[in-house]
Amino acid sequence: MEKRVGIVGMGFIGSHLYRRITEDKSLGLEVAFVWSRSPARRAGVPPALVLEDLADFVEAEPDLIVEVAHPDIT
């Protein structure tokens, strides 16, 4: 069973994580949601995976949340 991962922050590290999870199914991971304060950073991510409000993360039912956002955000 795949674990659902939420990604908070889509800079260099967050973008890399997103690509790895979506491209390598052998990891056993699935992207539950992506959140970024910058719409440009989340370009290319399917709209169904994008959270506009981070407070809505519970609805995506993640098993794990990876926070790679700027310290000002967290």
Side-chain angles (χ1 to χ4, degrees):
M1 175 158 104
E2 290 184 335
K3 297 293 183 185
R4 294 176 48 81
V5 179
I7 302 173
V8 177
M10 283 295 285
F12 179 77
I13 297 171
S15 296
H16 177 75
L17 287 172
Y18 176 80
R19 281 192 308 275
R20 285 283 294 155
I21 292 169
T22 57
E23 293 173 0
D24 189 350
K25 297 301 179 191
S26 71
L27 296 173
L29 302 172
E30 173 187 4
V31 176
F33 72 83
V34 168
W35 181 89
S36 175
R37 65 180 171 176
S38 170
R41 295 274 186 182
R42 55 186 191 234
V45 175
L49 294 179
V50 175
L51 284 185
E52 294 296 331
D53 185 345
L54 188 53
D56 295 334
F57 77 92
V58 174
E59 296 170 16
E61 300 180 341
D63 296 303
L64 171 71
I65 298 175
V66 179
E67 180 275 308
V68 289
H70 190 277
D72 287 348
I73 299 299
T74 58

